[in-house]
Amino acid sequence: MESGKMRKLRQLWTNYSSYVLLTVVLPLSLLSLSSCVFLNAGRPNANDVQISLFVSEYNSGPSVEDAIVEVIKNGSVIDKKKTNSGLARFEVPRYSGPYLIRISKDGYATTTIKVLNIHSPLVLNTTLRRPKFLVGEQNTNEIDISFDIYTSDRKLSKLLPDENGVYSIFGLPKLYISAQSTVSRLPIAFMYAKLGNPPGAEYLSSPRLFAESDVLEGYLELTPFSGKTYLFIDAYDVNDNRYEIVVPLNIIKSTDLKIVPYIVEAQQPSVYAYHLNTTVKYYSTEIGESYDSKEKLTNLYVKLVWKKWSDSTQRSRTNEPDGYVIYKSYDGQKYERLSVVGSKQNAYYDTYNNLPDVRVWYSISAKYGDLEGPKTFLGSVVPLPMVYITDVSPTDGATNVSLTPTFSWKMAGVDKYVGKVKYLYDIWLYDLTVNSGQFHYPLIEDTYFVSESSHVSIALSSYSWYKLPDGKLQSGKPYEWAPELIAAMWEDRENNSVSLSVNCDYNFKVAPMVIAPEKYYLFVTGSE
């Protein structure tokens, strides 16, 4: 039997222990708990996946600043940002789709992207184009895309997604896509489909499926791809509104572990940057009334070239790859996967987030199923800013010009690269009298002039000119002249690259397309 004294002592100890628990242990526990909450605050969820968008006016065109990008889930906007240097990024939980991404800005057509689900990081090189003819509320158009994926064009076996909306593909060399667009108002002009990257237009982003209608069908090659990737299906209406659907795929294939990988051989050079002064958009040359013709638009992209396995020196001792993986870096240290291309390709056009005066680096590896060979450094390049001319003589509207004039101008815009760039140019002179349409140009050994000086001076009397009688102009007659080639070129052998800035190239001499001069200068000769 416990004595009353002992019961009293035990009760006192119990009360003391409770006091210690409340005043010491419990606060420490709460402090520890609050510390845990504080330390984890702001940390990204390991299950989150990034969606990165680069928004440009057209494929390889200038970035669109301050465009509104909304991420919509179940009809509600869950995140909203403005583009900065054309870029916007979002974090979403893996397998939490579908999402609708809406991109808009006053004076532009709309771009809507439907992402069925997210299973891996998603990079969207997208466009927000100028409308061709309708603006504002008149430009509203509800677009949707329905699609089916088959194992062949016979359409006997249709693939179905799993519970996460992911299409798992086992051992197939290619897929057959059947897609159709529906609209509320404006008809569809084009449809595209591509694996791995959003489809662009024409040669800058081939291979891809294309149809000039609201129905798109055809094969897409699977050989270069393995693991998690995306299928992109695009539709553009006649006013350049864009609707894109993003389909998650998981391509499963076996890999031979006994392969001898091809170490990709670079070309000399392997990296070409093109900055072109043109409003030609690689998909249309039409410009609507809403387009501000005074605004300067350019195309800027980087072309990569390499030796494909079949043309390499390693063909007899290595295995042919399924394709090639292209990597890009913005600091020369950290490389990000840019694209996957097929084994028959030896070129790639990079239209993603390239800016004048900003160096980018590239590498490439051969791909065998889920395995890759060693990376090969292709090179790095700084895209040049746009070159242009000033201090032109004779000026437009000049009178009493000499019969043997000196044509002169200054090449500007790339002054910070003096000592690195060479200037490329020519000159054409037109005789407009009696509607003869006769033209003259200096007869030189090369197809154009090359100079390290930004100051250009071409005396009529210093050259023989094509079909120019007596080597001089006629008195009291109007003529027009212009450089029909204005370009700057940096051959950067140290970094295995060439950077070209082309203001005009009317005769297809250095640019991949014809670029007309912005202006011809009209003058009238005097008597001497």
Side-chain angles (χ1 to χ4, degrees), residues 56-62 125 127 129 192 194-195 197-208 210 236 272-276 278-284 298-304 306 326 338-341 345 347-352 354 362 511-513:
S56 61
E57 292 215 5
Y58 45 86
N59 202 35
S60 83
N125 188 12
T127 59
R129 300 175 175 177
Y192 297 93
K194 192 173 188 293
L195 280 169
N197 303 93
E202 297 187 13
Y203 69 88
L204 287 181
S205 61
S206 59
R208 82 282 182 273
F210 165 75
Y236 295 85
Y272 297 83
Y274 290 93
H275 194 182
L276 308 179
T278 176
T279 54
V280 177
K281 304 176 183 179
Y282 299 106
Y283 66 93
S284 170
T298 60
N299 290 86
L300 197 164
Y301 61 90
V302 177
K303 179 183 179 181
L304 309 175
W306 61 90
I326 299 166
L338 182 63
S339 184
V340 176
V341 299
Q345 287 187 239
Y348 177 78
Y349 294 90
D350 173 28
T351 65
Y352 179 76
N354 295 307
Y362 296 92
M513 60 186 301

Side-chain angles (χ1 to χ4, degrees), residues 389-452:
I389 62 174
T390 63
D391 305 330
V392 176
S393 179
T395 58
D396 190 42
T399 58
N400 200 31
V401 173
S402 168
L403 302 184
T404 56
T406 295
F407 302 94
S408 64
W409 64 88
K410 182 181 183 297
M411 307 279 269
V414 292
D415 308 72
K416 65 191 294 184
Y417 299 96
V418 170
K420 296 178 179 177
V421 299
K422 293 180 180 179
Y423 300 96
L424 320 178
Y425 54 89
D426 63 10
I427 181 174
W428 285 63
L429 180 64
Y430 290 86
D431 179 358
L432 302 180
T433 60
V434 200
N435 296 318
S436 68
Q438 184 61 60
F439 55 87
H440 317 288
Y441 53 83
L443 299 172
I444 59 176
E445 291 184 4
D446 297 317
T447 56
Y448 50 82
F449 292 93
V450 179
S451 173
E452 295 182 359

Side-chain angles (χ1 to χ4, degrees), residues 134-286:
L134 295 177
V135 295
E137 294 183 0
Q138 293 180 314
N139 189 34
T140 56
N141 192 26
E142 297 296 325
I143 307 175
D144 199 4
I145 296 175
S146 60
F147 71 95
D148 289 305
I149 303 176
Y150 298 94
T151 58
S152 76
D153 57 0
R154 299 176 65 188
K155 298 183 180 180
L156 298 177
S157 179
K158 183 167 71 173
L159 300 180
L160 298 175
D162 62 18
E163 66 276 8
N164 290 317
V166 179
Y167 289 77
S168 294
I169 302 164
F170 298 87
L172 292 177
K174 54 188 177 180
L175 292 177
Y176 190 81
I177 309 298
S178 178
Q180 183 167 2
S181 304
T182 57
V183 297
S184 61
R185 289 184 65 236
L186 303 171
I188 294 297
F190 305 103
M191 288 190 69
Y192 297 93
K194 192 173 188 293
L195 280 169
N197 303 93
E202 297 187 13
Y203 69 88
L204 287 181
S205 61
S206 59
R208 82 282 182 273
L209 288 181
F210 165 75
E212 200 170 355
S213 73
D214 58 359
V215 176
L216 175 71
E217 291 197 352
Y219 281 104
L220 286 173
E221 184 184 357
L222 289 176
T223 305
F225 300 94
S226 62
K228 295 176 180 178
T229 189
Y230 291 96
L231 165 66
F232 300 85
I233 306 173
D234 282 18
Y236 295 85
D237 70 19
V238 293
N239 205 34
D240 267 351
N241 296 299
R242 178 182 189 180
Y243 187 90
E244 180 173 78
I245 191 165
V246 182
V247 185
L249 306 181
N250 186 22
I251 301 171
I252 303 167
K253 59 177 66 174
S254 59
T255 304
D256 183 359
L257 299 179
K258 297 180 180 180
I259 61 162
V260 179
Y262 166 47
I263 302 174
V264 182
E265 296 174 6
Q267 299 277 23
Q268 303 294 326
S270 273
V271 183
Y272 297 83
Y274 290 93
H275 194 182
L276 308 179
N277 175 25
T278 176
T279 54
V280 177
K281 304 176 183 179
Y282 299 106
Y283 66 93
S284 170
T285 57
E286 297 180 19

Side-chain angles (χ1 to χ4, degrees), residues 260-264 325 327 363-366 368 372-377:
V260 179
Y262 166 47
I263 302 174
V264 182
V325 185
Y327 292 88
S363 64
I364 189 171
S365 65
Y368 300 84
E372 289 184 35
K375 290 186 180 66
T376 296
F377 177 64

Side-chain angles (χ1 to χ4, degrees), residues 99-120:
Y99 290 98
L100 207 63
I101 300 174
R102 186 167 56 211
I103 309 170
S104 60
K105 186 178 180 180
D106 288 344
Y108 289 80
T110 60
T111 288
T112 304
I113 303 172
K114 184 177 182 180
V115 182
L116 296 185
N117 218 333
I118 303 287
H119 63 8
S120 58

